[in-house]
Amino acid sequence: MAEQEREHVRVAVIGSGFGGLGAAVRLRREGITDFVVLERADAVGGTWRDNSYPGCACDVPSHLYSFSFAPNPDWPRTFSGQERIREYLEHVADVFRIRPHIRFNSEVTQTRWNAEELHWEIDTVRGSLTADVVVSASGPLSDPKMPDIPGLDSFEGKVFHSARWDHDYDLRGKRVAMIGTGASAIQIVPAIQREVRSLTLFQRTPPWVMPRADRSISGVERWLHRQLPFTTQARRGILWGIRELQVQAFTKRPNELGLVESLAKANIRRAVKDPELRAKLTPDYRIGCKRILLSNTYYPALAQPNVDVVASGLTEVRGNTLVAADGTETEVDAIIFGTGFHVTDMPIADRVVGAEGATLTDHWKSGMKSLRGATSDGFPNFLTVIGPNTGLGNSSMILMIEAQLNYLADYMRQLDVLGGRAALDARPGAVVAWNNRVQERMKRTVWNTGGCTSWYLDANGVNTTIWPGTTTEFRAATKRVDLAEYQVVRPPKPVEAAAATGAESSRKSSRKKKTEVRA
């Protein structure tokens, strides 16, 4: 499509989950209406749209797992299920008039920085456009990770990932294998255990599971929250405060988690009477190293006669027989993978080409790094919501998202103050300095010292996902954009542009000659 035919917007937001809708709301509140939200699916919701497996629910209390600017007094339970959370996000899109800005079925295939025009060129499956600023809110839990298992292609039964649940497939009376023991698996297992003929859980590492203090929220409570909104705020504040106080144990004094570990072991003893099964389900690493999971039904389901726990990972598929690393063989009709997502290697990074012509994946080849979880050097006016080291191990990600929305708002204000055509590019030194501070604090956290291997760590064993502090600290760190941490980029002057074009032509010619010589 010719440049002049492309639609241009001030901001393009990628994704319409909590991060994308939050960014859209914040832009409108800042008086910015010239923006679009590019969504690859046909509805909003992000991970809460994609994950619709049986038993899917949030492990953060409802009143904390929602926007502070959009409180919901009518949450039906203390921990909400997937359908309710998705309904909430649909409600946010309606109430804050975001729908006119959303382009559904518009998956982004590539976005490239144009250094001459100082804007991003964005290609989607439905056309192209340009934008001064791009906000990537695709999220780390958007693309399922399927392990490369030898022989899986030859499996004659049904195979799907928990995040792509096949609701047309009837599990009743089937022999089912569940691969993985993460947050999805501990919800799926008890939800399907009663209807399947047999259920085999392939467990590489057992999780720590604590009781889930879930209950219905009474009509009186909901009436009170509607009539007196400050009671909703107070409830949220208490939930937040408790989790802020817990952070020290995770980040500075992991040994203090010993008491919590004892309670978790007691939870196993209560539900599992078989000593052999209990031994399989008891972790050998410090609690908190992996995310602590919540369930009242997981252990009781595993103790049922039609459930078998294989304390070993799946290594091979031979026809309809699954082979574990310890040699155990199991014949099944269906395989459900609860093997997580591409978190430290987000696919969206493959589709972002920066100022130097390299993708964000190339830029992050030694590990994800960004300035304050938002920007990376060489990618001007490109911000990520839930970027590197912004995850949490014990609280609500909505708190972190809102902190990053504050940063986005001030970023837009700084561009206005600069005036004219301008972009901000994070200084490499600022990115390195921020990352060094984060990794230094990470050294003594339970996520690094707890003795486990988790999805928090990348291929190099570096924790590039979790924030090693309180949400209060992160909010303070992202309250304002420090221009000293950025280079202000202006359009090249005509002479500079011509020289750059000539230099690029020379490089291409040189590469061509080298290729001819090698040939």
Side-chain angles (χ1 to χ4, degrees):
M1 183 180 290
E3 181 68 32
Q4 61 269 23
E5 296 176 357
R6 294 190 185 195
E7 173 190 12
H8 181 79
V9 294
R10 189 174 183 198
V11 184
V13 179
I14 303 174
S16 67
F18 268 101
L21 291 180
V25 171
R26 191 56 187 266
L27 289 171
R28 284 190 63 92
R29 294 177 75 179
E30 291 293 315
I32 300 170
T33 57
D34 182 18
F35 69 90
V36 296
V37 178
L38 302 172
E39 170 54 56
R40 68 182 179 184
D42 59 1
V44 303
T47 193
W48 294 106
R49 174 200 60 237
D50 296 340
N51 287 268
S52 59
Y53 57 79
C56 184
C58 189
D59 60 359
V60 175
S62 306
H63 287 88
L64 191 59
Y65 198 78
S66 47
F67 290 121
S68 62
F69 56 78
N72 178 16
D74 289 313
W75 288 116
R77 301 194 66 83
T78 51
F79 290 87
S80 290
Q82 173 261 342
E83 290 186 2
R84 292 293 186 177
I85 297 174
R86 183 176 176 181
E87 287 175 6
Y88 171 78
L89 290 171
E90 296 276 2
H91 177 72
V92 168
D94 290 332
V95 169
F96 291 92
R97 297 175 293 169
I98 303 303
R99 289 196 187 277
H101 298 275
I102 303 175
R103 308 282 175 83
F104 291 113
N105 301 305
S106 298
E107 182 174 7
V108 173
T109 56
Q110 189 179 73
T111 177
R112 303 170 301 278
W113 177 249
N114 185 320
E116 292 186 11
E117 300 295 332
L118 289 195
H119 65 213
W120 287 94
E121 299 173 350
I122 306 167
D123 296 331
T124 77
V125 294
R126 299 188 63 184
S128 301
L129 68 155
T130 60
D132 295 329
V133 177
V134 171
V135 179
S136 177
S138 60
L141 305 183
S142 57
D143 292 276
K145 178 180 286 187
M146 289 285 284
D148 184 14
I149 306 293
L152 183 59
D153 292 342
S154 68
F155 183 68
E156 298 174 358
K158 190 69 180 178
V159 179
F160 54 87
H161 192 279
S162 60
R164 299 292 183 268
W165 194 271
D166 189 340
H167 291 277
D168 294 328
Y169 183 74
D170 191 353
L171 290 172
R172 288 177 296 183
K174 301 294 196 306
R175 299 167 299 177
V176 179
M178 181 78 227
I179 315 300
T181 53
S184 299
I186 72 157
Q187 295 176 344
I188 292 170
V189 167
I192 67 173
Q193 174 265 319
R194 292 184 179 182
E195 64 182 55
V196 301
R197 175 180 165 187
S198 65
L199 178 59
T200 303
L201 177 69
F202 285 79
Q203 169 192 273
R204 285 192 305 176
T205 309
W208 284 109
V209 182
M210 294 288 287
R212 184 183 181 89
D214 189 23
R215 65 172 179 83
S216 296
I217 297 177
S218 69
V220 172
E221 289 174 277
R222 283 181 275 170
W223 176 86
L224 187 64
H225 291 330
R226 285 194 299 271
Q227 300 302 314
L228 302 172
F230 76 86
T231 61
T232 306
Q233 298 169 358
R235 187 172 192 155
R236 178 186 176 90
I238 291 170
L239 293 168
W240 165 78
I242 291 172
R243 281 155 181 77
E244 288 290 273
L245 293 174
Q246 294 171 344
V247 171
Q248 294 291 329
F250 286 85
T251 59
K252 296 181 179 179
R253 295 185 289 273
N255 287 335
E256 292 183 359
L257 292 166
L259 175 59
V260 182
E261 198 168 293
S262 298
L263 295 174
K265 289 180 179 178
N267 188 39
I268 300 175
R269 289 195 298 271
R270 265 194 311 270
V272 181
K273 304 307 178 185
D274 178 5
E276 184 178 346
L277 178 58
R278 198 160 58 229
K280 288 181 180 180
L281 300 176
T282 302
D284 61 358
Y285 55 87
R286 172 63 76 196
I287 194 169
C289 184
K290 290 175 177 282
R291 189 175 181 99
I292 301 172
L293 307 181
L294 306 178
S295 177
N296 300 325
T297 55
Y298 179 63
Y299 289 142
L302 295 182
Q304 298 306 306
N306 69 330
V307 179
D308 185 31
V309 176
V310 177
S312 184
L314 176 63
T315 58
E316 186 182 357
V317 178
R318 300 173 187 161
N320 275 27
T321 300
L322 309 190
V323 184
D326 63 2
T328 301
E329 296 186 5
T330 308
E331 192 168 338
V332 299
D333 304 307
I335 306 174
I336 303 170
F337 284 95
T339 45
F341 301 84
H342 289 276
V343 176
T344 60
D345 56 342
M346 293 186 287
I348 189 65
D350 286 330
R351 308 178 186 189
V352 181
V353 181
E356 300 300 320
T359 66
L360 192 53
T361 295
D362 292 333
H363 189 66
W364 284 345
K365 62 184 177 183
S366 61
M368 296 192 303
K369 298 181 183 70
S370 67
L371 175 59
R372 302 181 189 274
T375 56
S376 296
D377 53 292
F379 296 81
N381 283 7
F382 184 91
L383 294 90
T384 301
V385 178
I386 314 184
N389 290 113
T390 60
L392 295 176
N394 75 312
S395 191
S396 173
M397 277 306 302
I398 313 307
L399 301 170
M400 301 296 279
I401 288 172
E402 289 198 34
Q404 292 200 286
L405 299 184
N406 290 340
Y407 197 76
L408 167 63
D410 197 53
Y411 193 101
M412 300 305 299
R413 293 186 206 116
Q414 295 298 335
L415 289 178
D416 284 342
V417 170
L418 289 171
R421 293 168 60 199
L424 294 175
D425 189 5
R427 294 182 182 277
V431 176
V432 170
W434 172 261
N435 188 69
N436 286 345
R437 290 200 297 272
V438 169
Q439 292 304 323
E440 183 62 31
R441 294 184 62 179
M442 194 72 72
K443 288 181 180 178
R444 56 179 175 173
T445 67
V446 69
W447 307 299
N448 277 36
T449 64
C452 72
T453 300
S454 72
W455 58 265
Y456 298 150
L457 310 180
D458 66 13
N460 300 312
V462 179
N463 193 326
T464 59
T465 58
I466 296 294
W467 168 245
T470 65
T471 62
T472 301
E473 290 174 296
F474 188 76
R475 193 178 187 91
T478 54
K479 187 176 182 180
R480 298 271 191 280
V481 170
D482 182 359
L483 285 181
E485 296 181 324
Y486 287 89
Q487 301 175 47
V488 178
V489 182
R490 294 287 186 182
K493 296 177 181 178
V495 174
E496 294 174 346
T501 301
E504 178 61 23
S505 298
S506 176
R507 284 194 295 271
K508 288 182 178 179
S509 176
S510 175
R511 286 197 296 269
K512 182 178 179 182
K513 288 179 180 178
K514 289 179 181 179
T515 302
E516 290 172 348
V517 169
R518 287 197 296 268

